[in-house]
Amino acid sequence: MIGRRGTPLVLAVLLAGCGSAPLSSSQPSALATPVSSLPSSPPAGSAGEAAALPIYYVAETPAGFRLLREFHRVPSADPGSDAAREMLANPTGTDPDYRSHWPPGTTLRTPVRTDGGTIVVDLSGADAARVDAELAEPTVQQLVFTVQGALQSTAPVRILVDGEPVDQLWGAVSTAEPVERGDDYALRSLVQIDAPAHGATVGREVEVRGEAAVFEATVGWEVLRDGAVVRSGFTSTTEGQRFAPFAFAVTLEPGEYVVRVLEDDPSGGQGRPVLTDDKAVTVRP
């Protein structure tokens, strides 16, 4: 879930990184224990095996509409096609704040393919309804990020509708040429929890993993119960000012909680609102 808080400047456009170095916490003995990090894009499985595919959604944040992802585990021998189908078939993510605004009934017409360094996605029903102008660009980029993430590629995406090229979608986004991946820092939320999933039931030692692009590699975290903060601290990404993994663990009593991660705010509240990501979890006895 997306929180509502107050944020830093980000410096460069780089692709999401991955790593496995141990990460620090501001209160390791009492509140949290660093754990090794989760890869940014888990590899797809071989034919017939379940693969953790990155599915991007659009969420409304204090900084406008941003992309956030979930990893959906589905049987996959064709990760690009399976990720696109999964995205289109699920208009909301596990997290209720994550949404897809593709027109209802939009489907993948033919399997995703590559052609001369371009990813080709052929859709049916994509122009059946209009998408609001402010949502049009992030909705197209949702598709671009999803298929690129599944294929672990940065190739531009040519979008076809019913087998034919279209000059634009919804009167707002040019698709006459293959669509390039947009600026990660302008499009993605700068903090993201990958695990646990929203609504998960977990053990008393709750391992939190995700990815962030934050000032001086510093990610704040809070645990809330009935709206009140009961634990808080800081952890670190493996690199600062670029998308990189973070991970920490916190021990909780049984009950219902919200785990939140948030940007550090070097501006002291003078900049844009801080980006956050929330997940509701149940800690079992």
Side-chain angles (χ1 to χ4, degrees):
M1 298 175 69
I2 303 298
R4 302 287 185 267
R5 306 254 327 182
T7 203
L9 299 176
V10 188
L11 304 180
V13 179
L14 293 168
L15 293 176
C18 61
S20 57
L23 306 175
S24 64
S25 166
S26 62
Q27 296 167 298
S29 59
L31 298 184
T33 302
V35 295
S36 60
S37 60
L38 185 72
S40 299
S41 300
S46 58
E49 293 183 356
L53 300 178
I55 310 300
Y56 283 82
Y57 288 95
V58 179
E60 187 172 3
T61 78
F65 292 106
R66 295 273 179 146
L67 298 178
L68 291 103
R69 71 167 178 231
E70 295 180 339
F71 287 107
H72 290 195
R73 186 165 290 280
V74 297
S76 179
D78 179 0
S81 300
D82 293 327
R85 291 190 185 99
E86 183 75 6
M87 184 200 81
L88 294 169
N90 293 280
T92 59
T94 303
D95 188 317
D97 289 334
Y98 295 8
R99 297 186 177 276
S100 175
H101 297 275
W102 284 90
T106 303
T107 59
L108 187 67
R109 182 173 172 270
T110 61
V112 172
R113 67 183 190 275
T114 57
D115 182 7
T118 299
I119 301 168
V120 180
V121 180
D122 187 358
L123 301 173
S124 180
D127 55 355
R130 204 164 184 84
V131 175
D132 291 345
E134 62 181 343
L135 285 164
E137 185 67 31
T139 295
V140 169
Q141 287 292 326
Q142 174 196 7
L143 175 65
V144 172
F145 274 68
T146 295
V147 296
Q148 286 183 340
L151 294 172
Q152 300 186 38
S153 169
T154 58
V157 177
R158 178 173 292 284
I159 298 174
L160 306 179
V161 176
D162 294 324
E164 299 295 333
V166 291
D167 289 339
Q168 58 183 7
L169 280 175
W170 316 307
V173 182
S174 175
T175 53
E177 299 295 330
V179 180
E180 299 280 353
R181 182 188 186 93
D183 182 342
D184 283 50
Y185 299 110
L187 289 169
R188 289 183 62 185
S189 175
L190 302 183
V191 291
Q192 164 84 64
I193 296 174
D194 288 326
H198 181 77
T201 298
V202 296
R204 293 183 60 182
E205 184 175 9
V206 183
E207 293 189 359
V208 181
R209 302 169 184 265
E211 191 173 62
V214 288
F215 182 71
E216 293 186 344
T218 302
V219 178
W221 60 266
E222 298 173 343
V223 178
L224 298 88
R225 190 170 193 180
D226 298 325
V229 176
V230 295
R231 296 283 192 276
S232 65
F234 293 91
T235 190
S236 297
T237 59
T238 55
E239 296 182 72
Q241 282 80 257
R242 62 177 293 172
F243 282 100
F246 67 83
F248 65 91
V250 57
T251 301
L252 300 172
E253 295 297 317
E256 307 287 330
Y257 296 91
V258 171
V259 178
R260 171 179 294 157
V261 295
L262 58 154
E263 298 174 280
D264 190 26
D265 185 4
S267 76
Q270 299 303 306
R272 63 156 171 76
V274 166
L275 291 167
T276 72
D277 194 19
D278 295 358
K279 302 296 181 193
V281 299
T282 299
V283 176
R284 59 177 174 265

